[in-house]
Amino acid sequence: MKDAYTSGFAMGLMPDEDLSVDQWAEKYRMLSAKASSLPGRWKNSTTPYLVQPMQVLTDPRIQRVVLMCGAQLGKSELIANFLGWQVDISGGPAMIIQPTVELAKRFSRQRITPLLEETPRLKAKVPAARSRDANRTMFSVEYPSGIFVLCGANSGSNLRSMPCRFILADEVDAYPLAVGAGSGDSEGDPLSLAEKRTSTFGSKRKIVMTSTPTVAGFSRIEKEFLQSDQRKYFVGCPLCGYKQELLWAQMRWENDDPKSACYECESCKKTFTDAHKTKMLRDGEWRPTAVGDGKTAGFTISTLYAPAGWITWEDLVNEFLRAKEDSTLLRVFCNTRLGITYEDDMASKVNAQDLLKRCEPY
């Protein structure tokens, strides 16, 4: 017993490791076979474009981090890594917001539970889930140095529930325009309500927003991204070395055959396939393309950058060819694959003045 007390006292005197989120994930994070196609130890080399977004999460100069991306590129895993780092290193109150309460339940089961139970470093610090244990439920987890809660953007009471140092807002373009809209008791924008929970933490707060975008001019994540320093991921051409952002306009194929998919370099005009993508991603770099406000780091990336074995350029060309004549499918392709907003012709033609002219007494 004495040895146990002595050991515990000695551990308490040890300073916490000084690790950024990406360093913590590389050293400790384990991926579950239940939630990942690549179970086992987390490797930053698999998704090198996530390294800098994780690094700015511990940059004291940055208070807001915005990720406007295509689907299935690792946004949710970045949030999970940040939570793991918070539990193990930082502590403090955090709130994870999903579009609805049901999606919050799904995120808890598919992301939070595997994170806490498959990573030994966290399993030792967080109590096991028990039906009568108030310290860990589907919507909240308490641990020695903090707490995090999960909620839906459609629940005003949850968004007002507690002061938070960290707000992790996932898929913000799917949030309702206002909490309680249509009920006669609207409480306003859910993202604004959540941000007010961080006011007492000042410059120590961190607000993370991720989403695939929706319609141009109506997209929350696009608005937030445009106020940031707008970082884009530049990769080198395997033929001439010229670094460029991968754009759909540079994709090439012949005779509507997805198997001929290749990319034309902006500089040397030669084409190459995604067989080179692993090295391209590894040697890539984020470059800011706007000044921003100095406190918001914004990142945008499309599924053209998906790691080898995930989604190929052939897959993307095939999807585009099926979607190009159907505006609904094309919008989904632009939003979820290219990570850009969709230009809706009707939306661009309607403005407030035209709508006001149609007002009638009711």
Side-chain angles (χ1 to χ4, degrees):
M1 182 66 72
K2 183 179 178 180
D3 290 341
Y5 279 120
T6 303
S7 174
F9 180 74
M11 288 179 65
L13 294 177
M14 292 289 289
D16 290 332
E17 288 186 273
D18 186 15
L19 299 174
S20 59
V21 177
D22 62 302
Q23 291 170 335
W24 180 89
E26 184 84 12
K27 189 171 183 179
Y28 295 119
R29 174 79 194 277
M30 296 297 293
L31 296 169
S32 168
K34 298 176 183 177
S36 173
S37 60
L38 297 170
R41 187 171 294 280
W42 171 276
K43 296 178 180 178
N44 286 330
S45 58
T46 302
T47 50
Y49 52 79
L50 289 180
V51 171
Q52 191 176 115
M54 287 192 284
Q55 288 173 342
V56 300
L57 292 173
T58 50
D59 186 335
R61 298 167 298 178
I62 301 298
Q63 293 183 20
R64 299 162 69 85
V65 180
V66 179
L67 288 95
M68 183 173 75
C69 309
Q72 303 299 313
L73 287 171
K75 299 189 300 294
S76 295
E77 294 301 340
L78 177 141
I79 289 176
N81 286 341
F82 188 34
L83 285 173
W85 171 86
Q86 179 207 340
V87 171
D88 192 21
I89 304 291
S90 168
M95 180 183 290
I96 305 104
I97 309 170
Q98 292 291 323
T100 65
V101 173
E102 285 302 314
L103 288 174
K105 288 181 182 178
R106 185 187 303 175
F107 189 86
S108 180
R109 288 193 301 266
Q110 295 181 349
R111 304 290 182 180
I112 301 300
T113 298
L115 169 72
L116 299 178
E117 295 184 354
E118 300 289 338
T119 303
R121 184 86 172 180
L122 303 181
K123 192 173 183 178
K125 296 190 175 187
V126 178
R130 298 184 182 91
S131 58
R132 296 184 180 180
D133 188 353
N135 290 328
R136 181 173 169 187
T137 69
M138 180 170 287
F139 294 109
S140 69
V141 175
E142 292 185 47
Y143 53 95
S145 58
I147 180 175
F148 62 81
V149 300
L150 292 94
C151 64
N154 57 346
S155 171
S157 60
N158 286 336
L159 295 174
R160 298 191 308 270
S161 64
M162 57 182 275
C164 291
R165 181 183 175 189
F166 305 117
I167 296 291
L168 308 175
D170 196 18
E171 292 300 342
V172 297
D173 270 22
Y175 289 5
L177 294 176
V179 179
S183 65
D185 189 25
S186 175
E187 301 181 55
D189 175 56
L191 202 51
S192 298
L193 286 175
E195 285 194 39
K196 286 181 172 60
R197 301 298 93 209
T198 67
S199 349
T200 58
F201 288 91
S203 61
K204 293 182 179 179
R205 67 179 183 167
K206 196 76 68 174
I207 299 165
V208 181
M209 289 167 280
T210 80
S211 192
T212 52
T214 49
V215 178
F218 295 89
S219 170
R220 269 195 185 91
I221 199 71
E222 179 192 47
K223 179 182 176 183
E224 297 290 345
F225 178 74
L226 292 176
Q227 293 174 356
S228 74
D229 53 12
Q230 301 180 36
R231 304 183 194 193
K232 299 178 180 180
Y233 202 62
F234 283 70
V235 295
C237 168
L239 304 175
C240 71
Y242 177 76
K243 288 205 166 181
Q244 59 207 287
E245 177 193 7
L246 295 182
L247 301 171
W248 184 250
Q250 296 301 116
M251 284 297 299
R252 301 287 183 264
W253 58 89
E254 297 178 359
N255 303 319
D256 286 347
D257 180 11
K259 293 181 179 179
S260 65
C262 56
Y263 193 91
E264 182 181 296
C265 173
E266 293 177 17
S267 179
C268 69
K269 306 302 179 183
K270 295 179 181 178
T271 60
F272 53 88
T273 69
D274 53 4
H276 301 275
K277 196 158 47 169
T278 299
K279 184 178 186 305
M280 291 166 63
L281 291 179
R282 186 176 63 240
D283 297 337
E285 61 184 44
W286 286 103
R287 295 180 183 176
T289 60
V291 176
D293 60 8
K295 297 180 180 179
T296 306
F299 301 87
T300 185
I301 197 167
S302 76
T303 313
L304 285 168
Y305 292 88
W310 289 18
I311 300 168
T312 67
W313 290 350
E314 177 185 337
D315 295 333
L316 293 177
V317 170
N318 186 45
E319 285 188 33
F320 174 75
L321 292 174
R322 288 186 295 167
K324 66 178 183 177
E325 303 298 335
D326 185 318
S327 60
T328 303
L329 293 177
L330 188 58
R331 171 180 164 172
V332 172
F333 181 82
C334 290
N335 295 164
T336 64
R337 293 311 191 197
L338 303 187
I340 59 175
T341 53
Y342 181 68
E343 295 283 349
D344 190 317
D345 291 338
M346 288 302 296
S348 63
K349 293 176 184 176
V350 177
N351 56 50
Q353 288 71 31
D354 291 336
L355 289 174
L356 285 171
K357 291 176 184 177
R358 298 177 63 85
C359 282
E360 299 177 9
Y362 180 72

